[in-house]
Amino acid sequence: MFLALRAEVESALTGALETLDLPTDDLGIEEPPEGVDAVVASSVAFRLAGELGAPPAEVAARIADAVDADEYEYVREVRAQGPYVNVLPTPSYYADTLDAGRDDDYGELPATGEDVLVEHTSANPTGPVHVGRARNPIVGDAVARLLDYAGHDVTTEYYVNDAGRQMAVFTWAYETFDEDDLDSEPERGRVEYDLVRYYRKGNAYLEEAHPDAVEAAEDEIQSILQGLEEGDEETYERVQRVVDQVLGGMRECLLRLPAEFDEFVKETSFMRDGGTKELAERLQETDEAVIEDGAWQLDLSEWGYEKKLVFLRSDGTSLYTTRDLAHHEWKFDAYDRSVTVLGEDHKLQAGQLQAALELLGNDTDQLENVIYSYVNLPEGKMSTRRGTGIDLDDLLDEAIQRAREEVEKRLDDRIREDDIDADDVERIAEQVGVGAVRYDIVSKQPQKAITFEWDEALDFEAQSAPYIQYAHARSCGILDDTETPDEADASLLEADAEIELLRETARFPGVVDAAAADLEPHQIATFAREYADAFNTFYRECPVLADDVDPAVRSARLALVASARNTLANALDVLGIEAPRSM
């Protein structure tokens, strides 16, 4: 309902400004400050005060007086409050919100017909997913879910780096060393934990072996790279034996979050189909192409980049960025928009890539990047190559174990009274533990670095997933004890806590719309926490099933609880977090 109300407010303000012969290019529509008796506000008077030579409060009063609220379904009154133009809704706004919120798909916006590709994670298949990179699949998955809720046809992609030096080293090491050569046992029973030991052994060998032995190894590694560049089928199959095994294990880890992918697009596909070679030839023909030390480079100073972009090495082999340029041109042909989730260390490369795409004549308006900073733990830095990292599996295991302890402590009496068995405890622990990790990461603005803190992430009483999940479980508990009425009279919801919960419910589709436009799922996380606050206040102040509650009021409150349950469940779903029915 908020989107419908906002559309009416836009129409009303535009009409008022036209009546006053004032410009309508910026209406300044925003949410009113807390405590203001309105659901929509406009700061347009600030912009127009200078033009009219009048104080903003006087301008706001003129605009409010020029609006005819009778023309609109949801606009009951428009009033000036200081420099702001505030809009109060009609009773039908709340009645329609109550009805709409009871739909299971509440918050999902109409289809836009736009195909959007979201590329995220794309971690090199060299070993287990580690904590430092955990933000990419969590943020990326939430961005994809958010765009899906906003009505777009979303495809998620994992771009597999199977053509670089790392994979050549991994392939050589896997074929060179035996189990007896390795220094450790696998940390887990999954395949990527087994194979990463070869990768680590190979890197250690290249650092520590005799120079003659290293030279021979480097020759073999180079031959693998050359074979991939030339499209040699045998070389390709050798590399894929390693890539596919490691990637399979990484996918199992990512499914725990969960983070799923519609497509796995391999970097080598753009070498094997000739796309990379053709693109390099096009780059060579541009005025910005130069040769330095035998390597082909792009001078992108016109785009503000002092560092040149190398796209062909002196031996004629392509680079990751060269292949990624071909990859992006494929994206542009297949999708209306392309969103890429990238770590902050790829920011320069992403900018150079976009400049090169423009140089090649592509419309890069359809390309958007979400840049994130990394996740740190108090334990310190991590390195897959040296094997000193903290794996995402370890973090999830620890989260579930800590959640299990917290759940068992809170459910101790109920386990005896309600026969909640061990399977229930385990289910709740996993939902809460994984949810805590996801929420703690996705709730922060991506550009801000995170140090993951257990006490904050698993706090049932504060800004955390368990707090929101518990509110959802509470709503389910109320509804499980009775039947939800088919009809309810929203006008009977008169208490401040009831009106506030209705207002928050109405906001949800608008928050989805705004967050999707900004590619910021943390806006949904903020909304979910604030909504849980509003629901808990309602729960404390407005009894639903008490014997002394009027039946008609009870029906209205039950309908409000049902809308709250759906709003909480779907807000959590956008974030990729389970909504437990009991906790």
Side-chain angles (χ1 to χ4, degrees), residues 407-419:
V407 169
E408 287 176 341
K409 180 173 66 177
R410 289 170 173 268
L411 292 182
D412 185 53
D413 291 336
R414 291 183 58 192
I415 289 172
R416 291 194 296 270
E417 295 174 5
D418 299 343
D419 196 29

Side-chain angles (χ1 to χ4, degrees), residues 4-326:
L5 174 62
R6 188 173 68 185
E8 290 188 356
V9 172
E10 290 173 356
S11 174
L13 289 176
T14 299
L17 293 174
E18 288 175 347
T19 298
L20 297 171
D21 197 25
L22 295 172
T24 62
D25 53 317
D26 182 5
L27 300 176
I29 293 176
E30 58 189 55
E31 291 187 23
E34 187 175 349
V36 174
D37 185 21
V39 293
V40 180
S42 169
S43 60
V44 67
F46 285 107
R47 177 174 63 83
L48 298 174
E51 185 169 334
L52 292 175
E58 180 181 326
V59 176
R62 292 188 201 176
I63 296 171
D65 289 343
V67 174
D68 183 1
D70 292 338
E71 296 181 7
Y72 302 98
E73 180 181 4
Y74 293 137
V75 177
R76 173 168 64 88
E77 182 183 351
V78 178
R79 63 168 69 145
Q81 184 172 349
Y84 290 94
V85 179
N86 291 335
V87 179
L88 283 72
T90 61
S92 61
Y93 175 74
Y94 291 123
D96 289 351
T97 293
L98 191 63
D99 287 340
R102 296 167 72 184
D103 290 338
D104 290 342
D105 61 358
Y106 183 62
E108 295 183 19
L109 306 186
T112 64
E114 187 174 56
D115 292 325
V116 182
L117 180 72
V118 178
E119 178 200 336
H120 69 85
T121 306
S122 302
N124 293 339
T126 53
V129 181
H130 65 80
V131 170
R133 299 281 176 173
R135 204 168 190 178
N136 199 313
I138 291 174
V139 171
D141 183 66
V143 166
R145 289 168 176 269
L146 176 58
L147 290 170
D148 181 64
Y149 263 77
H152 305 299
D153 187 1
V154 178
T155 300
T156 51
E157 180 203 81
Y158 190 119
Y159 184 50
V160 184
N161 180 359
D162 62 339
R165 173 179 167 82
Q166 287 179 311
M167 294 318 304
V169 170
F170 205 157
T171 302
W172 160 77
Y174 182 64
E175 296 175 346
T176 299
F177 300 108
D178 297 322
E179 176 71 29
D180 293 342
D181 298 319
L182 305 179
D183 300 328
S184 62
E185 294 295 319
E187 296 168 9
R188 288 176 185 259
R190 244 182 13 237
V191 63
E192 78 271 34
Y193 286 90
D194 179 19
L195 268 61
V196 72
R197 299 177 301 150
Y198 292 88
Y199 181 62
R200 293 168 180 162
K201 176 67 177 180
N203 279 289
Y205 183 89
L206 293 173
E207 291 180 358
E208 300 166 1
H210 188 276
D212 291 343
V214 171
E215 182 178 357
E218 289 289 357
D219 287 344
E220 178 59 25
I221 292 166
Q222 185 62 27
S223 74
I224 294 172
L225 290 171
Q226 288 285 0
L228 290 175
E229 197 75 33
E230 295 165 4
D232 179 69
E233 190 65 25
E234 182 181 351
T235 303
Y236 173 77
E237 291 177 357
R238 289 168 61 193
V239 173
Q240 296 313 308
R241 276 196 293 272
V242 175
V243 169
D244 290 344
Q245 290 186 78
V246 175
L247 189 61
M250 295 172 71
R251 290 175 67 180
E252 287 188 44
C253 172
L254 293 168
L255 281 173
R256 298 183 66 188
L257 286 172
E260 300 182 70
F261 300 87
D262 299 310
E263 295 184 352
F264 286 81
V265 178
K266 290 185 174 179
E267 190 180 354
T268 50
S269 65
F270 302 101
M271 304 165 75
R272 290 157 62 81
D273 68 3
T276 301
K277 181 179 179 182
E278 185 269 340
L279 185 138
E281 291 172 350
R282 287 162 56 203
L283 289 176
Q284 288 173 311
E285 294 172 359
T286 65
D287 294 338
E288 288 77 7
V290 297
I291 301 177
E292 292 186 6
D293 298 325
W296 282 91
Q297 306 181 36
L298 287 180
D299 182 350
L300 299 174
S301 55
E302 184 179 337
W303 283 265
Y305 296 102
E306 294 184 9
K307 184 178 180 180
K308 293 184 176 65
L309 176 66
V310 180
F311 64 92
L312 282 181
R313 298 185 183 91
S314 58
D315 60 6
T317 56
S318 60
L319 287 86
Y320 176 88
T321 303
T322 325
R323 302 184 285 271
D324 203 20
L325 285 167

Side-chain angles (χ1 to χ4, degrees), residues 83 94 165 233 242 319 336 338 342 426 448 473 548 558 567:
Y94 291 123
R165 173 179 167 82
E233 190 65 25
V242 175
L319 287 86
D336 299 316
S338 173
L342 297 165
E426 193 60 32
K448 294 183 178 180
D548 59 348
L558 282 169
T567 302

Side-chain angles (χ1 to χ4, degrees), residues 229-507:
E229 197 75 33
E230 295 165 4
D232 179 69
E233 190 65 25
E234 182 181 351
T235 303
Y236 173 77
E237 291 177 357
R238 289 168 61 193
V239 173
Q240 296 313 308
R241 276 196 293 272
V242 175
V243 169
D244 290 344
Q245 290 186 78
V246 175
L247 189 61
M250 295 172 71
R251 290 175 67 180
E252 287 188 44
C253 172
L254 293 168
L255 281 173
R256 298 183 66 188
L257 286 172
E260 300 182 70
F261 300 87
D262 299 310
E263 295 184 352
F264 286 81
V265 178
K266 290 185 174 179
E267 190 180 354
T268 50
S269 65
F270 302 101
M271 304 165 75
R272 290 157 62 81
D273 68 3
T276 301
K277 181 179 179 182
E278 185 269 340
L279 185 138
E281 291 172 350
R282 287 162 56 203
L283 289 176
Q284 288 173 311
E285 294 172 359
T286 65
D287 294 338
E288 288 77 7
V290 297
I291 301 177
E292 292 186 6
D293 298 325
W296 282 91
Q297 306 181 36
L298 287 180
D299 182 350
L300 299 174
S301 55
E302 184 179 337
W303 283 265
Y305 296 102
E306 294 184 9
K307 184 178 180 180
K308 293 184 176 65
L309 176 66
V310 180
F311 64 92
L312 282 181
R313 298 185 183 91
S314 58
D315 60 6
T317 56
S318 60
L319 287 86
Y320 176 88
T321 303
T322 325
R323 302 184 285 271
D324 203 20
L325 285 167
H327 172 217
H328 274 76
E329 290 199 326
W330 168 81
K331 288 183 182 183
F332 293 165
D333 287 341
Y335 298 93
D336 299 316
R337 287 171 62 192
S338 173
V339 178
T340 309
V341 182
L342 297 165
E344 60 188 358
D345 56 336
H346 291 278
K347 193 171 184 178
L348 171 62
Q349 179 182 316
Q352 290 179 315
L353 181 139
Q354 184 161 336
L357 287 168
E358 292 176 5
L359 178 62
L360 291 169
N362 295 282
D363 177 10
T364 58
D365 288 343
Q366 60 183 301
L367 174 60
E368 300 165 87
N369 295 321
V370 177
I371 306 293
Y372 67 91
S373 187
Y374 294 117
V375 177
N376 300 307
L377 291 177
E379 287 81 356
K381 296 181 179 180
M382 303 153 225
S383 167
T384 303
R385 188 173 69 84
R386 294 188 179 275
T388 59
I390 299 174
D391 299 320
L392 178 58
D393 281 312
D394 296 333
L395 178 67
L396 295 177
D397 286 351
E398 180 75 8
I400 293 169
Q401 175 57 31
R402 288 175 180 252
R404 184 185 297 111
E405 293 170 358
E406 186 67 26
V407 169
E408 287 176 341
K409 180 173 66 177
R410 289 170 173 268
L411 292 182
D412 185 53
D413 291 336
R414 291 183 58 192
I415 289 172
R416 291 194 296 270
E417 295 174 5
D418 299 343
D419 196 29
I420 296 176
D421 60 24
D423 289 341
D424 292 322
V425 172
E426 193 60 32
R427 169 185 56 80
I428 296 169
E430 184 158 347
Q431 290 174 328
V432 170
V434 175
V437 171
R438 283 193 70 122
Y439 187 87
D440 195 72
I441 289 175
V442 80
S443 63
K444 276 82 170 181
Q445 292 185 9
Q447 299 84 356
K448 294 183 178 180
I450 294 176
T451 298
F452 188 87
E453 299 288 351
W454 288 112
D455 292 342
E456 293 179 8
L458 288 167
D459 190 342
F460 278 65
E461 309 297 337
Q463 302 179 8
S464 64
Y467 176 71
I468 302 164
Q469 290 172 311
Y470 196 71
H472 177 267
R474 239 178 197 161
S475 69
C476 292
I478 294 172
L479 296 171
D480 287 345
D481 289 338
T482 188
E483 291 186 10
T484 306
D486 294 331
E487 296 183 2
D489 185 353
S491 67
L492 297 175
L493 300 173
E494 299 175 327
D496 289 345
E498 293 169 328
I499 296 298
E500 181 61 23
L501 187 56
L502 267 176
R503 285 177 56 169
E504 289 295 301
T505 302
R507 285 182 56 220

